[in-house]
Amino acid sequence: MSVHPKPWPEPAPEIVAAIRSIYRGKRVPPLPVRVRDELGELFADAEYAAAFGVEGKPGWSPGRLALITVLQRVENLTDRQASEAVRADLSWKYALGLALDDPGFDASVLSEFRSRVVDHGLEEKALDLLLAALVEKGLLKAGGKQRTDSTHVISAVRDLNRLELAGECVRAALEAISAAAPHWVEQVLEVGGWAERYRARIDSWRLPAAQTKREELALGYGADGYALVEAVHAPFSPLWLRQLPAVDALRIMLIQNYVRTTDRAGREVVRRRRPLEDGGEGLPPGRWRLTSPYDTDARWAAKGDDLFWNGYQVHISETCHTAAGTSTSTDGSTSTDGTGGGLTPPNLITNIATTDASVPDVAMTDTVHQALHRRGLLPSEHYLDSGYASADLLVSARATFGLALVTPVLLDHSPQARAQAGYDRTAFTVDWENQQVTCPQGQISNSWNPCRQRGTEAIVVMFPAAACRSCPVRTLCTTAKRGSRQLTLRPQPMQQALDSARAEQTSKDWQDKYKLRAGVEGTMRQAVAVTGLRRARYRGVKKVHLEHVFSAVALNLIRLDAWWNGHALDRTRTSHLARLELAELALTA
């Protein structure tokens, strides 16, 4: 399929006349019409030309397909419904510059377009082009305030326990090999026996209730898996069989869930892995553990005590123009609480990042800043919850990107700080130049030891044991029965930033300022309600991320459409989750 980039034609005169006639007077034109009038040719064909060849049968305009995919997210349509809208909806024909009698395309074209975009690394292109157009129109710029939050995304595969995963990996590999090399299967395997055991999906029938029966079944799946992998890697087997994704998933599953040992008689024995605490060989950490043979990027994760899911996590960053005394609408625009106030520009999504579910929020803070820097949209203040913050990031964000993180940091969890009695870390005076610490009683430390704790740089400070034993206020300083008081510090820039942030977040002014972060909860709700963001349509982190990018573009166009048309704004209250967060912050202060 080839693409020769061409400018989009202007809307056909008869379509323009029909649209103007239908929406004359005070009737508001639909979103596709408004987008074409305000932004013109938003996605140029040349931007996607790298994903297509220059020879062969001419294909559909990739720029138009990108806009169709965005409009598909706006209205939450299937591929078939979207292709039908291109044929029958006048507002879509207007936006795409199509003739009235244009027959459109088969629905499968959209799937092929998405695959080509992912294969050529163009997932971010649609959002980049929209943001660049908005910067040119003066609706976006660097500086100002932005906020970021994340939510869980459930994968498009069934949840499997360890036993079901083992059996389904064997079955998926067998199915893939049978489809790719049926003659090899007939020559190498006893087809009848394998077909009987793996005819149906493992999770489609009830597993044995007895533990011994389940263990026997698990060992059978392990033995079959090893036999199949060994046959695929045998000298007589084609090399390309080893490269089948299902075979690779089976190999990973066997490594993660089984071990092979030799008994006293010299026979090979297959055993299931057990956790280290049970005296076993140990299981891989969650960030590496396979959860399905059909989506090898999905991972299990948990938040709190009641949220467990298998899949991904999406991080959304948006501008936030709301100042104190204003409220945020469901379309992301803002209005003042006073009389006579006008509309301000809508809050717009500036970045979207997708990871597997096991990646912590703090690992994404710098990644988000780098993406915003690439687009030239770094804020001066970035509002985040405590999951994104660390002492290192407080310093590096300002030093590298020149922005301030507005986020609650973890408080001092020493016994003295928790009890709010005695001498916590703030009661000690640190002399960084001479590498000494003075306690409230005037005693100077005698030990200053730089080290690494859990992968981060730290400094352990100790005081003379003799002085601490004879100290009259020992019980206010340490709970140790013997020995002396010990302090753990971060390197000077991190420790000073941490101390400053802890002191600042106790003030009423800071807490009022931090309320601005709560508005991102409304964006999450809008993303879930409009685009179904919380359930992945596709498999694999790249395709899921592409889905999220188009969803972000769709939300931006919905907000811009409301702003362009001057829609009345519905006041919304702060979400229950945000109120709990602010209440907890006030209590800890």
Side-chain angles (χ1 to χ4, degrees):
M1 183 178 294
S2 64
V3 167
H4 299 280
K6 297 178 181 178
W8 295 10
E10 291 298 319
E14 60 271 23
I15 295 179
V16 173
I19 291 291
R20 302 301 181 225
S21 175
I22 295 172
Y23 299 102
R24 65 175 177 268
K26 294 184 178 180
R27 298 193 64 183
V28 176
L31 181 145
V33 173
R34 198 69 176 184
V35 169
R36 182 61 193 260
D37 288 343
E38 296 288 345
L39 300 177
E41 183 183 345
L42 181 56
F43 306 123
D45 289 350
E47 299 291 343
Y48 290 94
F52 298 85
V54 295
E55 297 180 354
K57 182 180 178 181
W60 238 76
S61 161
R64 287 172 171 172
L65 291 174
L67 181 58
I68 291 168
T69 305
V70 172
L71 297 178
Q72 181 183 2
R73 292 291 176 270
V74 169
E75 302 184 23
N76 202 13
L77 304 178
T78 64
D79 286 355
R80 289 185 181 278
Q81 291 171 328
S83 64
E84 183 61 29
V86 172
R87 282 189 289 270
D89 194 313
L90 284 180
S91 64
W92 284 46
K93 287 182 178 291
Y94 182 97
L96 299 168
L98 299 177
L100 187 61
D101 59 350
D102 191 288
F105 53 82
D106 186 78
S108 62
V109 172
L110 288 172
S111 176
E112 183 179 351
F113 167 72
R114 291 191 298 267
S115 297
R116 285 180 176 270
V117 169
V118 169
D119 291 342
H120 290 79
L122 300 175
E123 299 96 331
E124 300 274 345
K125 182 62 70 174
L127 185 58
D128 287 342
L129 293 174
L130 174 62
L131 296 179
L134 297 179
V135 168
E136 186 176 350
K137 286 182 171 290
L139 295 177
L140 279 176
K141 62 181 180 180
K145 302 174 182 180
Q146 293 190 33
R147 56 196 176 198
T148 298
D149 202 5
S150 65
T151 189
H152 62 283
V153 178
I154 301 172
S155 63
V157 294
R158 294 186 183 184
D159 294 340
L160 303 172
N161 58 38
R162 281 187 67 196
L163 178 56
E164 292 170 335
L165 174 65
E168 194 59 30
C169 281
V170 178
R171 199 189 75 85
L174 186 60
E175 286 281 341
I177 295 172
S178 299
H183 298 297
W184 182 91
V185 174
E186 294 175 356
Q187 295 171 2
V188 176
L189 302 179
E190 184 184 345
V191 176
W194 285 81
E196 182 64 26
R197 291 195 296 276
Y198 300 103
R199 187 181 305 277
R201 286 185 62 106
I202 304 303
D203 57 351
S204 65
W205 52 279
R206 180 171 296 180
L207 296 172
Q211 183 60 35
T212 55
K213 292 289 186 181
R214 294 169 72 94
E215 187 68 20
E216 181 181 343
L217 188 60
L219 295 179
Y221 289 150
D224 286 348
Y226 279 116
L228 189 58
V229 170
E230 288 177 350
V232 167
H233 285 78
F236 56 80
S237 300
L239 293 177
W240 57 267
L241 278 182
R242 308 173 190 178
Q243 301 172 1
L244 292 176
V247 173
D248 191 52
L250 172 60
R251 181 184 61 82
I252 294 173
M253 184 279 297
L254 291 172
I255 293 173
Q256 293 183 348
N257 292 276
Y258 292 90
V259 292
R260 288 195 293 185
T261 59
T262 303
D263 62 13
R264 295 180 179 179
R267 294 172 298 186
E268 188 175 82
V269 178
V270 175
R271 291 190 294 104
R272 298 181 78 187
R273 284 185 177 270
R274 294 178 300 159
L276 289 173
E277 54 268 26
D278 294 339
E281 300 80 9
L283 295 169
R287 63 182 178 275
W288 300 114
R289 197 175 303 175
L290 190 71
T291 63
S292 171
Y294 306 110
D295 188 348
T296 56
D297 292 333
R299 294 292 182 268
W300 278 104
K303 276 190 176 181
D305 297 328
D306 55 358
L307 177 58
F308 301 88
W309 80 99
N310 177 30
Y312 302 92
Q313 193 162 225
V314 59
H315 304 261
I316 301 178
S317 304
E318 67 171 359
T319 58
C320 44
H321 303 293
T322 312
T326 65
S327 62
T328 305
S329 73
T330 53
D331 65 8
S333 301
T334 59
S335 64
T336 62
D337 285 346
T339 59
L343 294 177
T344 60
N347 297 328
L348 297 170
I349 296 174
T350 55
N351 187 69
I352 196 155
T354 308
T355 67
D356 69 71
S358 67
V359 178
D361 289 348
V362 68
M364 293 302 297
T365 307
D366 188 63
T367 301
V368 170
H369 290 160
Q370 290 177 9
L372 293 173
H373 177 67
R374 176 178 62 83
R375 295 188 173 110
L377 293 174
L378 277 171
S380 57
E381 291 184 349
H382 196 178
Y383 291 72
L384 304 160
D385 64 29
S386 59
Y388 287 92
S390 71
D392 303 71
L393 288 169
L394 290 175
V395 175
S396 64
R398 187 174 293 278
T400 306
F401 302 107
L403 60 86
L405 298 186
V406 182
T407 172
V409 297
L410 294 179
L411 299 178
D412 185 357
H413 290 296
S414 65
Q416 296 80 13
R418 290 199 302 268
Q420 296 185 351
Y423 299 142
D424 61 12
R425 205 219 61 76
T426 58
F428 292 76
T429 303
V430 182
D431 182 351
W432 295 98
E433 184 177 354
N434 296 314
Q435 297 185 348
Q436 291 179 336
V437 177
T438 304
C439 80
Q441 294 297 309
Q443 181 63 49
I444 298 176
S445 62
N446 65 344
S447 173
W448 179 285
N449 296 314
C451 63
R452 293 189 68 84
Q453 294 182 347
R454 294 183 292 275
T456 60
E457 294 183 3
I459 301 168
V460 176
V461 178
M462 297 187 69
F463 289 84
C468 286
R469 280 196 297 267
S470 61
C471 181
V473 293
R474 176 184 175 85
T475 56
L476 297 177
C477 189
T478 179
T479 58
K481 300 299 182 183
R482 294 179 295 178
S484 62
R485 176 64 187 265
Q486 175 178 305
L487 288 179
T488 301
L489 306 174
R490 298 299 311 280
Q492 182 177 1
M494 290 76 170
Q495 188 63 55
Q496 290 176 339
L498 195 60
D499 291 342
S500 175
R502 284 172 175 170
E504 186 180 12
Q505 71 188 36
T506 61
S507 68
K508 183 66 167 56
D509 290 341
W510 187 92
Q511 292 176 19
D512 289 340
K513 177 181 179 180
Y514 184 66
K515 290 178 181 178
L516 188 58
R517 193 214 70 87
V520 75
E521 303 287 351
T523 297
M524 293 297 179
R525 182 185 180 280
Q526 185 185 29
V528 172
V530 175
T531 68
L533 191 75
R534 199 160 277 160
R535 288 191 175 272
R537 290 177 171 87
Y538 314 115
R539 300 171 183 173
V541 67
K542 289 185 176 181
K543 288 187 177 181
V544 175
H545 179 55
L546 177 66
E547 173 191 351
H548 292 164
V549 168
F550 280 121
S551 296
V553 176
L555 293 177
N556 279 345
L557 293 184
I558 290 172
R559 294 177 172 191
L560 287 166
D561 180 57
W563 184 67
W564 285 327
N565 292 319
H567 287 176
L569 302 176
D570 296 326
R571 303 291 177 86
T572 59
R573 297 178 181 176
T574 303
S575 71
H576 178 63
L577 178 63
R579 290 198 301 272
L580 288 178
E581 180 185 15
L582 292 172
E584 181 180 358
L585 184 61
L587 288 175
T588 56

